[in-house]
Amino acid sequence: MTNNATTPGTEPRLWLAVPAVSFLGIGIELLLASVAFPYAVWAGVAGCVIASCILCYQAYHKPRRDLVSLFTPLFALLILVIPNEISSGGVIVQAVFAATITFLAVRVEKVFNAPKLQEKTMKQMLNEYIDRVGPLLARIDEETGHLVAQSLLTYKFGLYPNAMEKSTEALARLDAITPRPALLERALLILRERAGGFADSRVTTNPEHVFTEEDYDDLAVRLSKDQVDDPTVLDLDNALILLYVVGIETSPDDEQALEEHQRFIIQILEGYKEKLTR
């Protein structure tokens, strides 16, 4: 199972606004203080508060969230706006606060801007597999698709003789398809053989029909040899997934029935989740 990476949610240079606005406010405060303006301190406070809001916005829109940066507007209010012993430090406290949020802005951009890997769901994997076998699906007519779907559904319901019959009918129709879909043929043969075993109340341990090495690029579950616990089970699972995909994509008459049993296929994929994510 592959992964998706989320992309950065804000402009890469937005962090520059944090030191620019905060230190600009402090600069204006010093300028106003030099002409004895009585409210000069609020220019520095306003610059730091606005810069902290910019930092909060920056942090919120990153793939990963930094809680400290998200709460900087609250810290600005508690430290600089509400009268207390710290806020009485004036421009020195503001300069320290501005330097701190500048550091946080750089940290958010460098550390929390890294793309966040998101695991694909099994349904996404199934949809991607449908896209991957598109050339095969394009060659399957509705009647063949219907027989493939019925082979899968009767097998799912435990009607093994019926599954064998439908598989045989579907295999007969493959003769008319050029080039012959060998992958689908093997999937139907695997299903028919396993259904025959279950119909006789026996487990197929040494099957005659298996997927070849060349088939694995076109199968849903592709594992290295050291990851395969039981090749027989893996072949059957891949056959069931392929037959489901062929049925749901080529047989409109069976689409609703197959959608109702999609969970069956998802559960098969989930059984390989740990190995697919290695």
Side-chain angles (χ1 to χ4, degrees):
M1 182 171 62
T2 55
N3 297 293
N4 282 332
T6 59
T7 54
T10 56
E11 291 294 330
R13 294 185 179 84
L14 179 63
W15 72 270
L16 293 171
V18 175
V21 173
S22 57
F23 284 106
L24 176 63
I26 293 173
I28 294 174
E29 175 185 354
L30 294 174
L31 181 63
L32 294 175
S34 67
V35 295
F37 184 72
Y39 302 107
V41 66
W42 290 107
V45 170
C48 289
V49 171
I50 294 172
S52 68
C53 292
I54 295 173
L55 173 58
C56 177
Y57 175 85
Q58 175 198 7
Y60 180 79
H61 286 87
K62 291 302 179 184
R64 297 162 56 207
R65 306 281 173 77
D66 177 23
L67 291 178
V68 175
S69 298
L70 289 173
F71 283 98
T72 47
L74 177 61
F75 298 149
L77 292 175
L78 295 175
I79 295 172
L80 303 175
V81 178
I82 299 176
N84 55 67
E85 293 182 3
I86 299 178
S87 62
S88 63
V91 70
I92 296 176
V93 173
Q94 294 167 17
V96 171
F97 185 86
T100 301
I101 61 176
T102 297
F103 167 78
L104 290 174
V106 174
R107 176 170 170 264
V108 166
E109 193 63 36
K110 299 298 182 183
V111 178
F112 292 86
N113 201 41
K116 180 180 179 181
L117 294 178
Q118 295 181 325
E119 288 188 353
K120 291 180 180 176
T121 65
M122 297 299 102
K123 188 168 184 177
Q124 286 174 318
M125 264 195 69
L126 181 60
N127 290 335
E128 288 186 358
Y129 180 56
I130 291 174
D131 292 336
R132 186 145 53 87
V133 294
L136 168 64
L137 300 175
R139 308 204 306 269
I140 309 301
D141 61 274
E142 288 188 17
E143 181 58 31
T144 303
H146 173 66
L147 291 171
V148 168
Q150 289 301 305
S151 300
L152 175 66
L153 289 171
T154 50
Y155 179 89
K156 167 68 170 55
F157 291 134
L159 305 173
Y160 301 120
N162 288 355
M164 294 172 63
E165 179 184 344
K166 295 299 181 182
S167 298
T168 300
E169 293 179 26
L171 285 165
R173 290 191 61 86
L174 298 188
D175 294 332
I177 301 176
T178 305
R180 188 179 180 86
L183 184 70
L184 177 57
E185 179 181 21
R186 278 188 280 277
L188 287 166
L189 288 170
I190 289 170
L191 179 71
R192 187 175 68 176
E193 184 177 13
R194 304 304 193 277
F198 289 133
D200 295 336
S201 300
R202 58 180 171 81
V203 177
T204 305
T205 54
N206 295 300
E208 176 185 355
H209 301 289
V210 297
F211 287 115
T212 66
E213 194 71 30
E214 293 74 22
D215 290 333
Y216 273 85
D217 285 340
D218 297 317
L219 296 176
V221 180
R222 297 173 290 180
L223 304 176
S224 59
K225 289 184 178 180
D226 62 302
Q227 291 179 304
V228 180
D229 299 324
D230 188 337
T232 301
V233 173
L234 178 60
D235 277 350
L236 177 59
D237 288 342
N238 271 319
L240 293 174
I241 296 170
L242 176 62
L243 297 177
Y244 175 87
V245 167
V246 171
I248 200 168
E249 290 296 307
T250 63
S251 177
D253 291 342
D254 299 287
E255 184 176 357
Q256 182 176 349
L258 288 171
E259 284 182 349
E260 291 174 356
H261 294 281
Q262 186 182 82
R263 184 60 190 163
F264 169 58
I265 301 301
I266 295 298
Q267 286 175 333
I268 292 175
L269 288 169
E270 286 177 344
Y272 296 95
K273 181 176 181 180
E274 183 177 347
K275 291 179 180 179
L276 290 172
T277 54
R278 289 178 183 175

